[in-house]
Amino acid sequence: MGLSRRVRDVFAPRVRRVAVPGRLRLNHSEHRMSDWREREAAVFAEALRLPAEQRGAYLEQACAGEEELRRRIEELLRASERVGDFLEESPHPRGILNGRGEALGEKPGDRIGRYKLLQQIGEGGCGVVFMAEQDEPVRRRVALKIIKPGMDTRNVIARFEAERQALALMDHPNIAKVFDAGATESGRPYFVMELIRGIRITDYCDQNALTTADRLTLFAQVCRAVQHAHQKGIIHRDIKPSNVLVTKTLEGDDLPVVIDFGIAKATTNQRLTDKTLFTAFEMLIGTPAYMSPEQAAFAQVDVDTRSDIYSLGVLLYELLTGSTPFDAGRLLEAGLDEVRRVIREQEPARPSTRLSTMAADDLTTVARHRRSEPPLLIRSVRGDLDWIVMKALEKDRTRRYETANGLALDVQRFLAQETVLARPPSRLYRLQKAFLRNQLLFSAIGIIAVLLIASLVVVGVAWTKEREALRKSQRDELKSRQVTQFLKSMLEGVGPSVARGRDTAMLREILDKTSEQLGRQMGEHPAMEAEMRSLIARLHVEVGNYEGAEAMAQAALALWRSTTGSESAETASALQDLGMALWKLRKLAEAETAYREALAIRQRLHGNQHADVAATLNQLGAVYRRQQRLAEAESLTRQGLAIRRQQFGNEHLDVADSLRNLGIVLRDRGMQAEAEAAVREMLAIRRRLLDGDHPLVASALADLAWVLGGESEEAAALETEAFGIQHQVLGDRHPEVAKSIYIQGERLRRRGNLGESHAVLNAALSIQRQLLGNDHPDVVATLQGLGATLEQDGQWSGAEAAYREVVSSRRRQAGEESTPPLDVVEGLVRVLVAQAKHAEAETVLNEALSPALIRQRSSTGLLVLKVDLLGRLGRWREAVDHASRLIEYQPQEHYRFHTLASLLAAVGDRSAYQRLCHQILARFVDTTDSYVAERMAGACLLLPDPGVDFGRVDRLTEKALAHDVPTTPMPYSEAVKALSEYRRGRFESAVEWATKTLSSGDAFSRTQAHAVLAMARHQLGQEDQARASLAQGIAVSNEIVPGRDAGRIRGSWVAWLIGRVLIEEACTRIFGAPTGVLSNTP
Amino acid sequence: MNDATLLLGAVERGDSPAAESFLSLVYEELRRLATHKLAQEAPGQTLQPTALVHEAWLRLMGNEGRRFANRAHFFHAAAEAMRRILIDRARRRRARRHGGDMERVDLDECNLVAPDDDDQLLAVNDALEKLTRDHPLQAQVVKLRYFAGLTNEETAQLLDLSVSTVKNHWTFSRAWLFHEIRGA
């Protein structure tokens, strides 16, 4: 295509100044319509300027007798109220829009139920607190807390109601009563509480410079209040300074009051739906410093009174040192997961250590707030107070104080200078902790491999001896079972998940050697051989040798069938192993069969609620998902998850596995938020239960990145982290690692870094080919990515090779008759055409475009390519059918009409052409786009008799000329105008417009102009000039004919064809016959 | 003088093919800049169309930009180019999401991004076409403000309108589009 044409294709509608209504010549009804539109805008603007209460009256008057206009304005006014920040933020070039509008908040004076809001007295992470007045049944002032939007109000209130009775039982001077809960008109939950006019305990202590002893006395009162609640069965869950206010009794004594009992439970312990998960995060952002490790784990069912003890410990820490054990603000910079990790794993500094490591200024301030001197303060805290705080802050809650009272008592013992219960941890205990933490380091990894080889020798000798001497004795059976057990534990010990960082190649070799040995030496002990083979099959899966796994699992299955029968647990287990190998090889139908059989056996043997049944359900669900049976997949996965939760509780790796599969299926089904919640829960469980560099943690990270979508910052960071772990643990040569490399390559391409993308995808491909063969789906995916990268980079032949391999691999997998992915075929055709390999492109298109496919809309992309190819080759007649179909598929695309019009004119199918012109006018006569108007007008003027009203075509022509920059030449529009004048018999004017076109037009528009000139002059009797124009037109047209110089005109055959049709018409008029170019082309 | 300044000069003299070539130049420059920025972007930093558009102006025009008193042509081109870039991207992503072979999940995996945002962007674009038909001037305000990220003042200057008129048009268009997309 010529540059200008191409650009116009890309940028319709083109740059233009907006045509002001009224500047155009309009007919009567258009006048009315445009008048209506102007009034729509004007009345709306005026109405909006008025206060809301005057709008009705204004509209009454302004739209008198125009009911429709009034309705419309009212609609728009309503929309403008709800518009929020819609469109206020420009779309991020990644396509991210921010469009969350929030309802306006309540304000003083508003009524909520029977409460009148007086003034706002607080605002926090979870909502706004008002002082409010209640009229009946008693007149009193209360505190009314309105929870932020984003919660399931019904759920919150239901939870509150469930606890209302227990809350009513609480009667303690240090606890603020909660009276009521409800929902505001905007649907947000609110709580009504006893109004406490106090300030938060930490501020109070500092402002009044309470000594450490006074603080401790106050704190002990808080503990007793919490104890009271615990005895009534109420856990606070959100103890923090802003929930412990200090006020004065009538006697003038300090009175700490704990507020918000019952509210945290109602608002946080919901099922984690999308919104509540978000809220849980928000609360974490608000007060992570006070959150206990078990709360930070989000295992909320698990929260008990000891979580409150932990929070009390944090409060005490802050009262003593002026800071919390962990600096929440600093942690948050590292991200939520980091906050949670630290709370769960890191030992905080003891209070005295914290004080002594403070900056001198800070320490002086802290000491002054306690009427003390730095050295004195540190000394007073060191020792007993350290241990009291640290006991309350134990990660393991069984090691904390058992009750709040216990904590209060120890504080009082300290005040009375008695021996406190809290003790420094013993040396043994610390050693145990260190050992547990480093257990994996202690198990010297390298030694495992050496031991394994040694053990193989031992086992080999044992087997040999067996055969020679003790073959049949019971004792020997026992002994060899022991040996097998030993070998098994060794092999399992070498699984790459354990032997991190080791070379898996060595493990593969060991496995192969072991397999050989098995065949030779275990013939007499089929059950043991089966056990070993099953084990090796599983290990093969772990090192990524799936073919080896399949063979081994098949062998084990046959052995188990013959020794234990087809209905045994062992057979089911072997089927499960086989299913896994087949699944990894993506032999889905075979995997399904194996899993179904395993499931049936297991259900018969164990009933429906068994861990093994859950395992099979989980896998079968995964297979269904790959087969696109998503609803079934979700149902099976949920069943498996339910069984596992029931069997193992919530903290279990198998539960995590089920959650992972569930998350993936849910995302496939488009349930993004639920998917993310499931995957995050899975990651949290794995992080808690496994080491940070465990491959399962890596894959969990990658899963979360996937669910979040590949282009968010969080996703990119997660992927990088996952890749680092995988690479370190699994080495280079592992399918999972290769897949990660591939994903990086895709990312690089999306970021436009084509050179690197190419290199990275090549690397992934070579690993995958070695490990998985040439037809594995991973290989095919990488090839397709490689093709896309090369195509974008203009490396046509490389792209062609990659695309071709994808197509042929698909054929091998799915059979000759199958259709390869259409986007690959489209890519292949594009790169073939780019190399001018037209015949090959046609072959590929014909193979893909089966009659069945052509009938489907999904063939649009290929049909466009086909029409284009036929056009380039000058095969107009063949192109007509496809081009007609494209109009059905894309009736909104004016370009399709433009193309078909030129084709029909070229082949001279007058009746089809006239029908098309009717369609064009019906659809486009009112277009506001001058570019579309020009093309559509041109289409309708191409043949002398379009069979439609020229007057309506004129409207398009006028629109085409109503270019927004009046001084700008518009050769195409002018050429159309020239043609229009000619068709209406205004030959002089036609000459004028055509001449104008010649001054600025490109070769295509000049061809048209020459043709019109020739015909118009012929009509005017200027025969010589007519012939000269025709000759010029023919010369220009011949110069740019498609096929002769395809590169130069870049395939804009439609533009060429339009000019040529007119040339042929001119030639026929002047010489009585066409040049024959159109009928001579193939 | 570089190509861009030559072209813009021609555009200002009213040369139509030049306008098209210029648009293509702006489009390519914006796309290149966006790609480059996205690749280099520091975490947490967002990339605003307005910054891109202004940077494209500087890069294309260099010191000679000052010669052009009327930058309207450039910004019209930039708004249009930006719209095309965003829409193309969203369409491509959406096509990948819906179509394709699910067996190859891993490819989809990394292409899937903020589907709702894409949908909204495309919905806005469709609605904007309708707005262009009924209220071309208001629609132009939306393009400049939303797609090129221009301020009310800049938009007013370019369209030769008062700032308050631009604000009116903007309020009206947002309500109009919001209603079109979300219904009453």
Side-chain angles (χ1 to χ4, degrees), chain A residues 8 84 97 706 742 751 810 969, chain B residues 14 16 20 101 107 109 146:
Chain A
R8 281 156 46 119
L97 275 171
W706 173 67
Y742 151 75
R751 299 201 156 189
R810 283 309 172 103
Chain B
S16 176
E20 286 152 5
D101 178 1
L107 191 64
E109 283 173 6
Y146 184 60

Side-chain angles (χ1 to χ4, degrees), chain A residues 100-112:
Chain A
R100 183 162 59 105
E102 276 184 10
L104 289 171
E106 281 74 13
K107 54 188 184 307
D110 289 357
R111 282 199 81 85
I112 294 180

Side-chain angles (χ1 to χ4, degrees), chain A residues 191-432:
Chain A
F191 297 92
V192 183
M193 285 171 285
E194 189 182 338
L195 179 65
I196 305 293
R197 295 164 203 261
I199 62 173
R200 56 176 71 188
I201 186 167
T202 43
D203 293 346
Y204 181 86
C205 290
D206 285 354
Q207 283 168 21
N208 295 287
L210 295 196
T211 62
T212 299
D214 290 340
R215 287 167 188 245
L216 291 173
T217 310
L218 220 49
F219 176 75
Q221 282 180 271
V222 175
C223 289
R224 286 213 199 74
V226 172
Q227 172 75 17
H228 176 81
H230 286 178
Q231 281 169 341
K232 306 290 176 193
I234 308 279
I235 305 166
H236 193 292
R237 291 159 192 268
D238 194 19
I239 293 173
K240 56 187 176 185
S242 58
N243 282 339
V244 182
L245 306 180
V246 180
T247 175
K248 293 274 186 193
T249 62
L250 290 175
E251 292 76 36
D253 296 333
D254 295 341
L255 181 73
V257 181
V258 185
I259 62 170
D260 273 12
F261 264 105
I263 291 174
K265 180 169 188 190
T267 52
T268 61
N269 192 15
Q270 305 184 24
R271 295 264 335 133
L272 293 179
T273 64
D274 50 345
K275 280 181 178 160
T276 52
L277 184 71
F278 176 65
T279 310
F281 277 122
E282 269 193 327
M283 301 199 90
L284 186 56
I285 289 170
T287 50
Y290 288 83
M291 189 171 268
S292 67
E294 57 272 20
Q295 284 171 301
F298 288 153
Q300 296 182 347
V301 282
D302 222 20
V303 170
D304 61 20
T305 54
R306 291 170 295 187
S307 303
D308 281 351
I309 309 274
Y310 179 93
S311 304
L312 285 170
V314 181
L315 180 59
L316 179 55
Y317 197 108
E318 188 169 356
L319 288 170
L320 293 175
T321 67
S323 59
T324 53
F326 302 111
D327 181 343
R330 197 175 49 79
L331 286 184
L332 277 173
E333 284 169 18
L336 284 174
D337 279 337
E338 176 65 6
V339 177
R340 298 173 52 210
R341 188 190 68 73
V342 168
I343 291 175
R344 291 200 325 270
E345 293 173 10
Q346 194 171 306
E347 288 294 321
R350 287 177 218 155
S352 62
T353 313
R354 166 61 57 87
L355 287 170
S356 48
T357 52
M358 265 180 196
D361 300 0
D362 293 345
L363 179 58
T364 310
T365 311
V366 169
R368 201 172 46 236
H369 280 151
R370 288 157 185 75
R371 299 179 199 242
S372 183
E373 298 293 326
L376 200 66
L377 181 65
I378 294 173
R379 230 175 306 139
S380 71
V381 171
R382 184 179 295 149
D384 285 351
L385 282 178
D386 275 345
W387 308 133
I388 290 174
V389 170
M390 296 310 278
K391 186 171 169 70
L393 292 180
E394 278 284 354
K395 304 286 182 214
D396 175 356
R397 58 187 168 184
T398 62
R399 302 183 62 89
R400 290 179 206 147
Y401 289 98
E402 280 176 29
T403 61
N405 226 14
L407 174 55
L409 283 173
D410 235 9
V411 168
Q412 280 172 324
R413 280 189 205 103
F414 171 82
L415 288 171
Q417 299 187 326
E418 294 167 16
T419 314
V420 302
L421 288 187
R423 294 287 355 133
S426 70
R427 184 170 297 193
L428 180 62
Y429 171 68
R430 272 181 289 176
L431 195 67
Q432 279 170 346

Side-chain angles (χ1 to χ4, degrees), chain A residues 465-481 525 528:
Chain A
K465 280 186 181 164
E466 258 178 352
R467 269 209 311 279
E468 283 169 358
L470 302 160
R471 190 168 299 173
K472 296 202 164 41
S473 86
Q474 281 288 332
R475 223 178 116 253
D476 180 55
E477 185 68 29
L478 183 67
K479 186 178 172 193
S480 63
R481 185 163 288 283
H525 303 280
M528 263 179 285

Side-chain angles (χ1 to χ4, degrees), chain A residues 61-109:
Chain A
Q61 169 240 321
C63 311
E66 290 178 281
E67 221 19 66
E68 199 189 334
L69 180 63
R70 179 182 176 150
R71 257 203 312 280
R72 175 65 184 160
I73 302 291
E74 281 168 348
E75 269 173 15
L76 289 177
L77 286 171
R78 269 197 303 279
S80 78
E81 275 162 24
R82 295 167 48 230
V83 73
D85 59 0
F86 175 69
L87 297 190
E88 279 298 0
E89 213 161 299
S90 288
H92 188 270
R94 271 181 195 160
I96 292 168
L97 275 171
N98 184 0
R100 183 162 59 105
E102 276 184 10
L104 289 171
E106 281 74 13
K107 54 188 184 307

